[in-house]
Amino acid sequence: MAASPLHRTIAHRAPKRHCVRSSMLFTISLIFKRQITNPNRRRLFRCDAAFENEITAYASIVPVLQRISPYDLPYPKCVTAGSDEHGDRIVLEDLTTSGYAMLDRRVGLSYEHCIAVMKELAKLHAVSLAMKHAHPHEYADVCSKIREIVYCPEAAEFYTHSLESSLRGALDSLRYSNGEQGELDGPIRAVEGLTGRLYRIMSGLVCDGMDEGWRVICHGDTWVNNLMFSADRQHVRLIDLQTMRCTTPVLDILHLLYTSTEHSMRRQYVTELLLQYRQSLLEALGEHFCACEEPAAAAALLRRYAEQFSYARLRAEYDRCLPYGLGIAMWLLPAVTFNPDKIPDLDAVTIQDFKTKKHDKRIAQIVSNDYHTRMRDIVLEMYDQGVLQRLKSDRI
């Protein structure tokens, strides 16, 4: 779920099933997802709410979106999602049998990988925009079923403490990386100014402040372990729908770039990636409108959306939401960069560990040099772009 890539449900491959049709043998491989068994961990990390969200996504949201979409959405096919005598479960196609694979989370995504994700995110977001135009009541009904599970009152206490713990860890990392010349002194002071405010800042960006015309159904957790790529890097599938939410589409983009890419890739290619996203969004909207509108009406709609999602406006929305990229990096980079042999035992974590900073010490013992490098790069990036200074003056 979005709170950390470490807080996972249990997924396993079912034994392959063989069935005979018309004298031909078919092999079917499936993925079964079950809720984790530790009750304390489930309660602390709100795992039940997350799993219920994903069941709703596969059972009641994705089928509606796919029905009106003229193209396939980038999700695995769901065989069933609901409950049985053993509890909640989700059964999905095994994408590995179609040649899809996960990448090493510790290696930043390449430009080619990011381009593939931009194309699919644009197609996903375009369904919301087309549905809002052509089926507004049905769209509102679908959105009413989507439950925000991180930035909501019932989750605020835990996730506030979790984010504050991540902020303290980021500050420790920056102090560790600060050289004798003190080149990080300014950024460190600016990050210190986020203490006690980070959850409110993140919540405001996710839930408020956007033009309603931009609000779409987003994946919500687009980091590398929730992406599976084809061998040629041209296609991607998005998995783990536990934090699907209605918000501005640039958050899916920022979530990807600030958890799963390195500084050099962002510095060189952000403009190209946003331009690709915009082009793919308009192409997808063109498919929607040409399928259900007269040519003149379709052309007029496309001109309207081309203006609404001009590069200048897209970039402005991206820049407005850059603090989300900073916050999500602080939160998730420890898990992205952990050595897989040193992942902490989350079954033993309590909320008191966050309040007393015991969890901070646990994480500090296992963070990698890659974490320090990426955190330093991101904070300098935000400082050089004036994002940290803006947050200081805003005093959210």
Side-chain angles (χ1 to χ4, degrees), residues 23-95:
S23 301
M24 296 181 64
L25 183 66
F26 295 87
T27 300
I28 303 172
S29 182
L30 301 173
I31 298 291
F32 277 70
K33 292 187 70 173
R34 290 284 189 190
Q35 184 58 276
I36 61 173
T37 56
N38 184 284
N40 292 328
R41 182 173 164 191
R42 285 171 64 168
R43 190 162 45 251
L44 182 63
F45 295 115
R46 305 195 71 239
C47 296
D48 288 337
F51 207 85
E52 289 171 10
N53 231 28
E54 187 162 31
I55 288 174
T56 300
Y58 278 117
S60 303
I61 297 171
V62 172
V64 176
L65 300 181
Q66 186 61 77
R67 176 169 52 79
I68 72 160
S69 174
Y71 43 76
D72 288 337
L73 296 179
Y75 300 124
K77 291 182 175 60
C78 179
V79 177
T80 183
S83 301
D84 57 24
E85 65 272 19
H86 303 293
D88 291 342
R89 52 92 181 94
I90 299 171
V91 183
L92 304 170
E93 68 168 321
D94 182 359
L95 290 168

Side-chain angles (χ1 to χ4, degrees), residues 87-278:
D88 291 342
R89 52 92 181 94
I90 299 171
V91 183
L92 304 170
E93 68 168 321
D94 182 359
L95 290 168
T96 63
T97 62
S98 301
Y100 285 84
M102 297 176 70
L103 305 181
D104 185 343
R105 59 178 164 75
R106 293 172 292 174
V107 178
L109 294 176
S110 70
Y111 172 72
E112 291 77 16
H113 287 122
C114 290
I115 283 289
V117 180
M118 291 301 108
K119 291 178 179 178
E120 293 300 341
L121 286 178
K123 289 163 65 177
L124 170 62
H125 299 154
V127 180
S128 291
L129 296 170
M131 194 174 183
K132 277 202 284 189
H133 165 74
H135 310 282
H137 297 297
E138 191 172 13
Y139 177 75
D141 180 63
V142 168
C143 290
S144 71
K145 297 174 182 176
I146 297 174
R147 180 182 179 190
E148 176 58 54
I149 63 168
V150 176
Y151 303 102
C152 56
E154 56 270 33
E157 181 187 14
F158 170 68
Y159 288 127
T160 293
H161 287 296
S162 180
L163 265 171
E164 289 298 309
S165 175
S166 298
L167 175 59
R168 292 191 295 267
L171 283 167
D172 288 342
S173 175
L174 293 170
R175 292 170 186 136
Y176 170 83
S177 299
N178 203 5
E180 293 183 0
Q181 302 302 314
E183 65 270 19
L184 294 180
D185 286 351
I188 287 172
R189 286 193 296 272
V191 172
E192 287 172 340
L194 301 178
T195 301
R197 304 165 55 214
L198 192 53
Y199 181 84
R200 291 198 304 275
I201 291 170
M202 298 282 281
S203 180
L205 291 168
V206 170
C207 303
D208 305 307
M210 74 203 74
D211 183 328
E212 284 302 312
W214 283 63
R215 193 183 293 271
V216 297
I217 297 172
C218 290
H219 178 274
D221 198 9
T222 48
W223 77 293
V224 61
N225 262 28
N226 287 339
L227 307 171
M228 295 185 71
F229 291 90
S230 59
D232 63 3
R233 304 182 180 186
Q234 298 300 304
H235 304 284
V236 63
R237 294 291 179 265
L238 309 181
I239 60 176
D240 199 342
L241 308 187
Q242 296 181 0
T243 49
M244 182 179 274
R245 56 169 55 107
C246 294
T247 187
T248 173
V250 301
L251 295 191
D252 272 348
I253 299 173
L254 287 163
H255 199 110
L256 174 81
L257 296 182
Y258 284 94
T259 64
S260 306
T261 69
E262 296 181 353
H263 173 66
S264 58
M265 209 289 302
R266 294 190 300 275
R267 183 185 64 236
Q268 187 171 357
Y269 292 119
V270 162
T271 297
E272 286 84 351
L273 292 173
L274 290 177
L275 286 170
Q276 179 63 70
Y277 173 84
R278 178 180 183 269

